[in-house]
Amino acid sequence: MKVCACAVILSVFAAFITVPSAWDNLRFKIGNYDIEGETALVKNAIRQFSAHIAGFYDSGGAAAGLNTIPAANMVKRRIAMDIRDLIDKGKVLAIDRDKSSVKQILFADLTHAVAVVDEDWFSQYQDAQLRARKPLSAKKAGFITVRYFLKKMWSRWIIIDYEVYLRDDEMMPVPFEQFLQW
Amino acid sequence: MVKLKNLIISSEALAACAAFIVTYVCLGLSGIFSSVPSSLMKILHKPPALIGLLFLLVIIFVRLLIFAKARSTAGQNGVSGILFYMGIILTIIGILVSSQMRFEGRIYLPEGESFSGDARGYIEGSVYAGKRSFPPAMKLHMTNISPFFRGGRFGSGSIASELLYTGVGNKYEKKMKINSAVPVLADGVFFRIRSFGYAPFYRLTDSSGKLLDEAYPMLRLFPPGAEDSFRVEKQPYTFYMKYYPDRAVIRDKKIPIPEQGKGGLYKLRVARNLEVVFNGYVVPNEIYQVDSTYISFEDLRKWAEIEIVKDYGIFMIAPGLLMIFVSILLGWRRKTNVPKEVFGKESVEENR
């Protein structure tokens, strides 16, 4: 009986040391982590993303603004590309987030989270030079639901991708297998 | 030496070894230490499990020798016991062979296209290969894919497809049918469809008609109602699509369904970063304005994700497990054939 117990303990030890981040995963699985603290950090990352993205569009894509956006390079590149495309056409997009409410935050593990957020945005195309003095379109309201995919890197949550839905659109199940590989 | 032999043949050593392996496998399958649970084979291929299996192999082998010797001296054949031990030995050897020789990978294969068997043709990150394994030498040509939809919220479905399989060294070519339900064996290689989707051909132009991009993005649009997205290089748009081969299955009727055309229909939502710039149903071969660009969908191909597994270990594990099963059946039959009175007499004698 003692030998069997030793074998079981040895097996648990072997399973523990052969898996990377085993301690973090164990803490997550048994719920021994600060979920409220992490939720606050995720919300903060999304808030920062929205605030910086608005400022970045408004500034016409000032390069310094890129570093402040808590997002993966692919996301930043896409935003920068959009702004450059608008500048080429002599426009800037003035966007302003009116309201946002986090509907759901789901942690896939300690370093991957999915957040569903209802966001109300107002946007207006303006002349790149004359700005608000020469609006190129009427102020438009956009009521969207965004599903953010976040990853904790270097102790901070960053947005690695997002999906944009119209309010009350049906969402597909989260592709966890793919998401956890990011 | 005698002590070592006694330790090896002791029931405690056997139980400890089994407990070690079972605990390790259960922990791996539960995924308590990992973010995603592993598959049984991948857990058994890890060094701690292999070391445990090697110990178990030695113990079982020694026990088999002792068992066979004892039976021959007693003049009994002991078929079920020998079969049981042989089954375990074969299974363990199979797992050890599999850990070195297993090759597993996935490929995307659209209808009408071929796969040359080249290792670079496998989906990135899908290849799992032992130290002494190599991709199977073969060629595949997808001739036909047939999806069957069974309904449900996001639906469940099954896929069947026909392939032209060319064996090693182009010696022969044969038709092969594979499906998503069970793996199909050909030349020692298992084939199974893991997922299916559509690849709509899109053409994106600017207002002057200049071509911006055209391609067949492979999207997971099955079963009908499933949504997937693609992005176009150097364009700020994300295109979210659904495909309905039959308009009757469309549930989302908030947006008007176009009357024109027959057959399939796409549901398209286009986002320019955080702004939805298009949302509606799209008829194939029609041109639609999306923001400052124009898009049309002109062709549709089906594609399947095929899992390819070459593992010689399976050919030992399967008969090994069968032998264990048969030995248990034989042992159980022998027990039930013995008259109850004999058990009664024996037990009475034992009690005395």
Side-chain angles (χ1 to χ4, degrees), chain B residues 92-204:
Chain B
I92 295 172
I93 293 173
I95 295 168
L96 296 175
V97 169
S98 166
S99 72
Q100 298 297 307
M101 306 284 285
R102 186 179 176 92
F103 178 88
E104 189 183 310
R106 293 183 185 193
I107 55 162
Y108 291 130
L109 200 54
E111 241 175 20
E113 287 198 13
S114 300
F115 171 66
S116 65
D118 189 343
R120 286 167 297 180
Y122 288 89
I123 301 168
E124 209 185 318
S126 75
V127 172
Y128 172 82
K131 277 179 190 162
R132 285 164 190 81
S133 72
F134 45 88
M138 43 117 202
K139 280 179 191 168
L140 295 174
H141 179 79
M142 182 66 86
T143 48
N144 176 41
I145 307 174
S146 319
F148 302 100
F149 177 56
R150 290 198 201 100
R153 187 169 174 239
F154 287 111
S156 63
S158 65
I159 318 294
S161 78
E162 262 184 23
L163 291 164
L164 266 181
Y165 173 86
T166 312
V168 186
N170 297 335
K171 279 178 189 159
Y172 62 94
E173 196 176 76
K174 68 173 180 184
K175 264 191 183 176
M176 184 170 76
K177 282 186 180 177
I178 62 170
N179 58 67
S180 55
V182 283
V184 172
L185 185 66
D187 278 353
V189 182
F190 291 94
F191 297 89
R192 187 177 186 175
I193 296 179
R194 280 297 178 182
S195 71
F196 161 80
Y198 294 97
F201 177 78
Y202 71 84
R203 191 186 294 274
L204 191 72

Side-chain angles (χ1 to χ4, degrees), chain A residues 1 3-4 7-8 10-12 14-16 18-19 22 25-26 29 53 57 78-79 81-82 85-86 89 109 121 125 140 144 146 161-166 168-173 180, chain B residues 12 15-17 19-21 23-24 27 30-36 46 48 106 153-154 225-227 231-232 234-236 238 240 242 251 254 269 271-276 279 291-292:
Chain A
M1 195 64 191
V3 181
C4 276
V8 169
L10 191 67
S11 181
V12 173
F16 186 82
T18 51
V19 176
N25 289 323
L26 179 67
K29 293 279 161 71
I53 203 177
Y57 266 96
R78 220 163 54 230
I79 296 165
M81 198 168 62
D82 187 22
D85 181 55
L86 290 170
K89 290 172 183 163
D109 63 16
W121 288 88
Y125 287 104
K140 203 168 78 179
I144 53 170
V146 187
D161 202 0
Y162 57 86
E163 293 171 348
V164 181
Y165 295 86
L166 283 170
D168 300 324
D169 263 356
E170 191 175 46
M171 283 186 184
M172 291 302 294
L180 287 169
Chain B
E12 257 195 338
C17 221
F20 179 86
I21 296 162
T23 310
Y24 190 79
L27 287 171
S30 74
I32 193 148
F33 293 138
S34 53
S35 48
V36 187
K46 286 186 177 173
R106 293 183 185 193
R153 187 169 174 239
F154 287 111
E227 188 177 85
R231 291 188 177 114
V232 178
K234 292 181 183 167
Q235 292 298 321
T238 306
Y240 300 91
K242 291 178 183 179
R251 289 188 300 117
K254 282 183 278 182
R269 185 176 74 257
R272 181 175 183 145
N273 278 323
L274 289 168
E275 188 187 0
V276 176
N279 187 44
D291 206 18
S292 57

Side-chain angles (χ1 to χ4, degrees), chain B residues 251-320:
Chain B
R251 289 188 300 117
D252 183 7
K253 289 176 179 164
K254 282 183 278 182
I255 308 160
I257 299 165
E259 297 288 324
Q260 81 257 42
K262 277 181 183 175
L265 200 64
Y266 299 104
K267 161 80 171 41
L268 179 68
R269 185 176 74 257
V270 185
R272 181 175 183 145
N273 278 323
L274 289 168
E275 188 187 0
V276 176
V277 291
F278 185 95
N279 187 44
Y281 288 102
V282 167
V283 179
N285 300 314
E286 295 281 327
I287 298 169
Y288 292 86
Q289 186 177 0
V290 174
D291 206 18
S292 57
T293 60
Y294 293 83
I295 195 162
S296 63
F297 296 93
E298 294 166 17
D299 187 21
L300 185 73
R301 278 187 192 172
K302 291 177 219 156
W303 60 267
E305 184 184 342
I306 301 169
E307 185 184 62
I308 298 169
V309 177
K310 193 182 81 173
D311 188 349
Y312 297 132
I314 289 175
F315 301 109
M316 293 182 217
I317 296 168

